[in-house]
Amino acid sequence: MNFQFILFTVSALASQTLGLDNGLARTPPMGWLSWERFRCRTDCKMYPNSCINEKLYMDMADRLSEDGYLRAGYKYVNIDDCWATLQRDPKTLRLVPDPVRFPSGLKKLADYVHSKGLKLGIYGDMGTKTCGGYPGSKFTMELDAQTFAEWGIDSFKMDGCYSTTKDFSVAYPIMEFFLNKTGRPILFSCSWPAYMQSSDPDYKLIAKHCNIWRNYNDITDSWDSVKTIIKYYGDDKYNFSAVAGPGNFNDPDMIIVGNTGLSYQQWQVQMAMWAMMAAPLFLSEDLRTITPEARTLIQNPGVIAINQDRLGIMGKRVWQSGNIEAWIRPVTPVGSYAVAVLNLNDGGAQSGFNMTLVTLGVKGQDAYNLSEVFSGKALGKYTVSTNFPIFIDTNSVLLLKYTKLDRILKW
Ligand SMILES: *[C@@H]1O[C@H](CO)[C@@H](O)[C@H](O)[C@H]1NC(C)=O
Ligand SMILES: *[C@@H]1O[C@H](CO)[C@@H](O)[C@H](O)[C@H]1NC(C)=O
Ligand SMILES: *[C@@H]1O[C@H](CO)[C@@H](O)[C@H](O)[C@H]1NC(C)=O
Ligand SMILES: *[C@@H]1O[C@H](CO)[C@@H](O)[C@H](O)[C@H]1NC(C)=O
């Protein structure tokens, strides 16, 4: 064992004893979420196939279960904002799904989703309104938690609009308490630190009450957006990597692979880096029209295995040279590593250089099988100091896995 690994392990163990433990999100949750692609579109006359209605979520449930996603691990179908009526029920004060867009009601939708072996997630807000102006949960947290449980909801994302960040450390724990009291396991996704980027969020407290938490700006379908998220997670200001572990994960936002904003290489960068960051994988694209190429990438077993590694340790950026950087993440079997080398140059030809695990802070006598993760190609046996020649194109990633071998190699 080397210093770096001990450091990683200690932080993972710390979060295991301190974080929310409701049995959920032992590895980063995977599924689908409507927001990036479908936003708050409510005009179903003009856009019958892309408005927020029950058909959209049923269609995605069909695609997840029939097109290989569920088998690959994607099981949450998550509703985002704009599903409710603008007023609560005047008598019961309960949230009401829009009767025109969700005519069957959410219990029926949950039954449908469950019949496919999937889980249903929903969205709300801790303030007086959601970001889209729908009713918030500020004065109705217990009732809303009960309502969600009665409908058969499996995950709840609580946003932070129409509120003040001062209330967060009180309101999020209260909602967690009421979700727990329903007796139904409901994954709790908090937007807490996303609103506190310049004020040192209390990540230990966040992990104590949330399974996942949106950290940093919402993703948009652009390379700039993906790059700034990777930079924020690489900078790791306030050491938020330290609180990630089974049950508790930083959420850098949705997967946009299959949409129109990125090249294939940039799609690979997103998949690779979300695996390195132990990030939830919530797809936000139209699975009815996605290309086979994007689908295959989203379901790549090697990348998913790194993302879902049971140690749950978040990778860190440990090396930078100009616009080229390397990240490392300890994975199983214990003593193994995933390594991502990113070329963020915007112009020029391929860059070539040698890299070793020593460069990335790993010491010791272990030997490893090296493989390229996207293709699964075996690259041979390596020690910590064996040079690995890297040739990497601009706007691209090389994702490697160093699998520890049982015995020290005799050379
Ligand atoms: C409620 O909290 C307790 C204590 O952390 C935990 O053991 C239990 O699994 C939780 N139940 C639910 C339904 O979240
Ligand atoms: C983060 O951790 C590093 C050491 O790993 C330490 O030097 C630094 O002070 C920590 N920063 C914060 C904000 O806790
Ligand atoms: C990389 O290392 C090999 C030997 O392991 C050496 O032949 C080669 O010149 C090195 N390349 C660079 C760019 O340093
Ligand atoms: C290492 O790679 C060799 C050759 O590909 C393979 O036969 C062996 O099973 C691998 N060992 C481990 C522990 O992955």
Side-chain angles (χ1 to χ4, degrees):
M1 263 223 221
N2 60 76
F3 175 68
Q4 181 128 30
F5 187 73
I6 290 168
L7 204 72
F8 272 119
T9 310
V10 166
S11 32
L13 288 178
S15 77
Q16 269 169 21
T17 49
L18 297 173
L20 171 62
D21 182 10
N22 53 6
L24 301 172
R26 304 307 296 170
T27 61
M30 299 167 64
W32 187 89
L33 172 59
S34 50
W35 185 254
E36 195 288 318
R37 184 64 174 173
F38 296 95
R39 297 287 156 110
C40 189
R41 172 166 284 168
T42 52
D43 184 348
C44 296
K45 281 217 175 71
M46 180 154 174
Y47 299 107
N49 279 317
S50 59
C51 68
I52 299 302
N53 65 0
E54 63 186 29
K55 178 181 179 299
L56 179 70
Y57 298 100
M58 289 165 79
D59 282 355
M60 293 308 149
D62 293 347
R63 299 282 53 81
L64 287 172
S65 69
E66 287 165 36
D67 296 347
Y69 298 95
L70 175 58
R71 223 175 309 125
Y74 295 93
K75 64 178 181 202
Y76 285 92
V77 178
N78 292 323
I79 301 171
D80 208 276
D81 204 353
C82 310
W83 58 270
T85 51
L86 285 166
Q87 304 296 332
R88 289 172 177 272
D89 182 298
K91 283 210 198 73
T92 64
L93 289 183
R94 287 189 188 239
L95 290 164
V96 181
D98 185 285
V100 175
R101 292 181 288 116
F102 293 85
S104 314
L106 286 185
K107 174 86 179 73
K108 280 272 163 53
L109 182 57
D111 289 347
Y112 184 82
V113 165
H114 293 154
S115 76
K116 306 267 167 178
L118 298 160
K119 294 182 178 299
L120 186 66
I122 204 162
Y123 168 99
D125 193 287
M126 57 150 288
T128 50
K129 290 180 189 175
T130 70
C131 301
Y134 294 82
S137 295
K138 184 163 184 176
F139 303 112
T140 46
M141 289 196 179
E142 183 169 20
L143 179 64
D144 293 350
Q146 281 167 1
T147 304
F148 297 151
E150 282 167 27
W151 286 342
I153 296 290
D154 305 293
S155 172
F156 176 47
K157 172 181 173 184
M158 191 162 84
D159 215 333
C161 282
Y162 293 96
S163 180
T164 146
T165 54
K166 285 199 209 82
D167 289 348
F168 284 13
S169 57
V170 177
Y172 279 104
I174 289 176
M175 191 63 188
E176 185 261 310
F177 172 80
F178 286 130
L179 289 172
N180 182 279
K181 259 190 69 182
T182 67
R184 181 176 179 85
I186 298 177
L187 188 150
F188 192 28
S189 166
C190 305
S191 298
W192 191 337
Y195 290 87
M196 303 182 68
Q197 287 164 30
S198 51
S199 52
D200 197 0
D202 185 345
Y203 281 100
K204 287 206 175 92
L205 187 67
I206 293 170
K208 190 161 179 246
H209 296 286
C210 307
N211 289 118
I212 59 175
W213 47 90
R214 283 281 302 103
N215 200 6
Y216 196 56
N217 299 345
D218 284 6
I219 199 165
T220 61
D221 191 12
S222 82
W223 180 229
D224 260 357
S225 170
V226 171
K227 278 196 294 192
T228 54
I229 292 169
I230 292 170
K231 180 174 186 310
Y232 192 81
Y233 277 67
D235 292 348
D236 195 16
K237 199 173 154 195
Y238 315 126
N239 290 343
F240 55 77
S241 61
V243 293
N248 314 99
F249 295 100
N250 289 284
D251 179 2
D253 219 4
M254 293 156 274
I255 296 291
I256 55 170
V257 173
N259 291 330
T260 55
L262 307 187
S263 70
Y264 183 80
Q265 283 72 15
Q266 292 164 344
W267 284 348
Q268 284 189 314
V269 170
Q270 199 195 14
M271 290 304 293
M273 298 316 295
W274 265 236
M276 295 303 289
M277 298 187 292
L281 297 178
F282 289 141
L283 312 172
S284 197
E285 46 278 86
D286 193 338
L287 302 178
R288 297 165 298 198
T289 55
I290 196 167
T291 62
E293 189 183 45
R295 183 168 87 187
T296 304
L297 179 57
I298 287 169
Q299 297 181 6
N300 183 290
V303 183
I304 290 175
I306 292 171
N307 177 280
Q308 293 291 299
D309 188 82
R310 65 178 170 78
L311 297 178
I313 301 170
M314 187 183 134
K316 292 185 182 185
R317 187 183 67 208
V318 289
W319 180 86
Q320 280 179 293
S321 168
N323 291 321
I324 300 183
E325 63 188 49
W327 289 55
I328 189 162
R329 174 178 175 186
V331 292
T332 52
V334 171
S336 306
Y337 297 94
V339 169
V341 188
L342 261 180
N343 182 348
L344 296 173
N345 283 311
D346 281 330
Q350 282 191 333
S351 295
F353 54 95
N354 278 324
M355 206 189 63
T356 68
L357 278 181
V358 171
T359 320
L360 306 182
V362 181
K363 300 186 181 66
Q365 302 297 313
D366 288 337
Y368 307 87
N369 264 0
L370 183 61
S371 63
E372 194 284 316
V373 174
F374 284 105
S375 65
K377 188 169 183 271
L379 300 172
K381 289 187 167 56
Y382 281 73
T383 67
V384 293
S385 55
T386 320
N387 271 326
F388 177 70
I390 289 180
F391 289 93
I392 181 171
D393 220 322
T394 52
N395 292 326
S396 299
V397 69
L398 179 68
L399 187 60
L400 301 170
K401 183 167 177 194
Y402 285 84
T403 305
K404 184 180 178 254
L405 296 170
D406 289 342
R407 276 168 297 131
I408 294 168
L409 283 188
K410 299 275 181 292
W411 293 85

